[in-house]
Amino acid sequence: MGKFLGLDSSTQSLTGLVIDTQTGQIDAEVSTHFDTHFKAAYGIDKGVLHLGGGQVHSAPLMWAEALDLLLQTLRDQGCDLGQIQAVAGSGQQHGTVYLNDKAADALGQLRGPAPLRDQLAAIFSRPTSPIWMDTSTTAQCQELEEGVGGRRVLLELTGNTAFERFSGPQIRKFAQQDPEGYRRTTYIGLVSSYMASLLAGRLVPVDPGDGSGTNLMDIRSRQWSPRALTACAAELEHKLLPITPADRPAGPVSPYFVSRYGFAPGCQVFPFSGDNPSSLIGLGLVEAGQVALSLGTSDTLFACMDQPRVSEQGEGAVFASPDGTHYMALICFLNGSLAREAVRDQHHLDWKAFGEALRQTPPGNKGALMLPYFAPEIVPKVAAAGVVRHHLDPNNAQAEVRAVIEAQALSSKIHSAWMGVAIRSLFVTGGASANEGILQIFADVHGCPVHRFETANAAALGAALRAYHGHLKAAGTPKPWKEITAPFAKPLPGSTIQPNPAATAVYKTLIDEYRKLEQAHTG
Ligand code: ADP
Ligand code: XUL
């Protein structure tokens, strides 16, 4: 029992969340938004630097500065960091941090009173880090797949086909385009391992959850794949930080954090993971077959699996779960709220009227269908925006509303089949989960109950829960994951929406028609 800190270093902010395992409560929750504090100093916009040609980077020194600011804010708000028994964290996935030969010593010598920014400014061999929004590595993706013996081989080996945002193609591009900078790079880590290294005052390895987002990790052995490393870049095996089990302590917090913020000298740091794998824990998905749906700007569906099933058509990504045994499937539908808002606005509705339209129209929409590609789509892959209407009158606002939601729900069913998970219930989170009419259609299409789930910072919560789990294990008193997550990751009471069997029967028939329409208009 005690207090545990979870940090989430995301694209636009750094969040810190403290749990009290005695009371089962979240004690503190603070976010430092990068644009609010560092826009001018680092030239960022929404946390990132657009460098042209699809290159999107961010600044690792800024993340260090944000860590100082966040911890100061937590303290100013009355949080006693001396009570924290262990810390874990998560980072935006795929981003890479390039360090020179001064890094290990500089981390080890971190002491007050100068801030991290001043003590760490000279440790980077590349001042900016490419992040997950970077799409500039199409050529390197192809080269990496060819280098290991083909797309299929990379998929089988690492769980994923090559994606532009994944770390491997990004590292390869750096080695090709700046060989001198690559030569000066002594260590390559991920956003997650970099943030953990700051806290521990030493180079902390990569965890398998985030290692899976590199195209370089053997998804079964959870170690770097020599074959993938060779195909990626020369000498990479000497530069990449090793992979470690997510629950192996990385050492106590650096004396810098003890003297500056009052951390206890014995407070342990655990390896950080990716934000999505961490959210899997934060949403309590620690048993195979559990599935969550986040209806946010984009819609993401993720599941806990007991085998690393892969998506041959590139419909989703597979990551190792930081729980140490399971795997995570993640599917990202770009046209989530974007499409819902487009229909709402085209017909001059508000969310109330949108919900009303869903109530007044029948399941199946009298045969009217829509392919809602208001923007290019990730799943299924659609290169250019273009909405398709089938027996759907664009002037019929109510039918349009039903068509967009039925399309999204049917698409989520079709494109999650590769996961091999029988969906028996759906945990739903994100802004659009406020809308019962939308959730009813997801319940009906999947033929399962939908539970609403109120967690704004699932990644930071997952990190705090990982710190708790790792701490108990290290103390020789381990607890099953279910017991760790249950008090914190629970559905809102009275939030469950049950499927309507008659509607479920309608969708069982309709899904083939939707699939045919989709196939006729996509890749
Ligand atoms: P993100 O975390 O991706 O920024 P959120 O999970 O905060 O997104 O969700 C924000 C979105 O939720 C808004 O863009 C809006 O479209 C949607 N939203 C908010 N309220 C409703 C509602 N009642 N019905 C449908 N969608 C809603
Ligand atoms: C997942 C992905 C993003 C980042 C940023 O593959 O690219 O979700 O993790 O949050």
Side-chain angles (χ1 to χ4, degrees):
M1 292 292 173
K3 301 203 181 194
F4 298 88
L5 171 64
L7 297 172
D8 176 42
S9 182
S10 80
T11 314
Q12 300 200 47
S13 59
L14 177 68
T15 296
L17 184 150
V18 178
I19 56 168
D20 182 337
T21 58
Q22 188 101 41
T23 60
Q25 300 289 320
I26 292 174
D27 259 16
E29 203 168 351
V30 170
S31 287
T32 298
H33 287 272
F34 301 144
D35 278 18
T36 309
H37 301 282
F38 307 118
K39 201 174 165 90
Y42 290 91
I44 49 154
D45 183 23
K46 294 201 164 73
V48 305
L49 296 155
H50 290 275
L51 302 179
Q55 299 179 95
V56 184
H57 287 208
S58 190
L61 193 60
M62 176 182 78
W63 301 330
E65 219 177 317
L67 180 59
D68 265 334
L69 186 56
L70 178 90
L71 294 175
Q72 188 58 49
T73 311
L74 273 169
R75 241 172 91 121
D76 291 348
Q77 294 190 357
C79 181
D80 177 3
L81 295 171
Q83 289 187 26
I84 305 291
Q85 306 214 25
V87 190
S90 62
Q92 50 175 316
Q93 292 191 263
H94 319 301
T96 33
V97 180
Y98 300 78
L99 303 174
N100 60 28
D101 59 2
K102 299 195 187 70
D105 284 348
L107 288 166
Q109 288 160 13
L110 279 177
R111 298 289 182 275
L116 292 175
R117 180 196 56 214
D118 295 353
Q119 299 191 52
L120 298 177
I123 68 169
F124 303 98
S125 57
R126 193 183 191 187
T128 61
S129 292
I131 62 147
W132 65 281
M133 293 163 78
D134 191 296
T135 54
S136 67
T137 59
T138 304
Q140 288 76 19
C141 284
Q142 204 178 335
E143 291 161 6
L144 185 60
E145 288 181 348
E146 281 166 8
V148 295
R151 186 180 162 89
R152 173 98 229 153
V153 178
L154 189 69
L155 178 68
E156 280 301 322
L157 194 60
T158 69
N160 293 295
T161 54
F163 289 109
E164 278 80 355
R165 67 188 191 285
F166 275 38
S167 321
Q170 294 289 345
I171 294 168
R172 181 171 174 82
K173 184 174 149 223
F174 180 54
Q176 286 173 340
Q177 297 193 342
D178 184 1
E180 181 47 30
Y182 184 72
R183 199 193 52 73
R184 276 189 286 108
T185 300
T186 312
Y187 310 104
I188 302 178
L190 303 182
V191 178
S192 54
S193 63
Y194 166 72
M195 295 304 289
S197 302
L198 299 183
L199 273 171
R202 64 172 69 180
L203 292 161
V204 174
V206 172
D207 100 300
D210 221 12
S212 355
T214 60
N215 280 140
L216 301 173
M217 190 188 87
D218 181 323
I219 190 73
R220 288 173 183 81
S221 70
R222 300 186 181 213
Q223 288 300 321
W224 297 127
S225 154
R227 193 166 174 179
L229 297 195
T230 305
C232 182
E235 300 290 317
L236 188 52
E237 65 279 22
H238 303 302
K239 297 182 193 278
L240 265 183
L241 294 174
I243 299 182
T244 185
D247 59 5
R248 181 171 297 165
V253 287
S254 148
Y256 172 86
F257 297 97
V258 175
S259 61
R260 198 175 169 106
Y261 301 109
F263 275 93
C267 173
Q268 281 292 333
V269 179
F270 283 88
F272 284 22
S273 187
D275 55 359
N276 293 301
S278 196
S279 293
L280 192 75
I281 305 291
L283 292 170
L285 305 191
V286 292
E287 285 176 1
Q290 292 182 313
V291 183
L293 178 70
S294 168
L295 301 172
T297 307
S298 57
D299 292 347
T300 52
L301 187 126
F302 45 96
C304 181
M305 308 188 289
D306 49 15
Q307 291 300 320
R309 289 182 72 110
V310 296
S311 157
E312 293 188 21
Q313 310 303 326
E315 288 169 297
V318 174
F319 306 126
S321 166
D323 75 4
T325 47
H326 291 104
Y327 295 87
M328 167 183 202
L330 177 126
I331 313 170
C332 183
F333 303 95
L334 191 121
N335 281 279
S337 283
L338 191 82
R340 293 185 284 271
E341 284 173 16
V343 170
R344 180 197 65 179
D345 297 344
Q346 271 173 17
H347 297 285
H348 310 292
L349 306 171
D350 56 16
W351 287 129
K352 193 160 172 280
F354 194 95
E356 200 48 41
L358 294 175
R359 265 184 294 283
Q360 290 182 3
T361 44
N365 216 10
K366 299 182 183 154
L369 291 174
M370 176 194 282
L371 298 181
Y373 310 137
F374 290 86
E377 183 50 76
I378 297 175
V379 178
K381 200 163 186 170
V382 179
V387 176
V388 177
R389 290 179 174 82
H390 179 75
H391 303 312
L392 176 65
D393 174 2
N395 297 313
N396 183 341
Q398 295 203 327
E400 286 257 297
V401 167
R402 177 163 282 276
V404 69
I405 304 300
E406 289 190 341
Q408 292 177 329
L410 289 165
S411 179
S412 75
K413 185 157 169 82
I414 290 170
H415 296 291
S416 55
W418 66 270
M419 300 186 321
V421 170
I423 301 181
R424 286 185 287 274
S425 73
L426 272 174
F427 285 126
V428 185
T429 171
S433 65
N435 197 313
E436 284 198 20
I438 295 176
L439 301 190
Q440 185 66 56
I441 294 179
F442 275 89
D444 293 343
V445 166
H446 286 276
C448 71
V450 166
H451 309 285
R452 249 177 285 184
F453 203 90
E454 201 54 72
T455 322
N457 291 310
L461 174 58
L465 293 170
R466 287 187 45 232
Y468 177 34
H469 180 267
H471 171 82
L472 289 181
K473 190 170 171 199
T477 53
K479 253 193 193 185
W481 272 107
K482 193 85 206 137
E483 286 178 33
I484 299 278
T485 59
F488 293 93
K490 48 181 183 231
L492 287 176
S495 73
T496 301
I497 292 175
Q498 295 293 346
N500 168 353
T504 301
V506 170
Y507 292 125
K508 268 201 177 125
T509 315
L510 194 63
I511 198 159
D512 286 331
E513 207 176 321
Y514 183 85
R515 189 184 282 112
K516 273 191 219 136
L517 185 69
E518 190 188 276
Q519 282 168 353
H521 289 88
T522 56

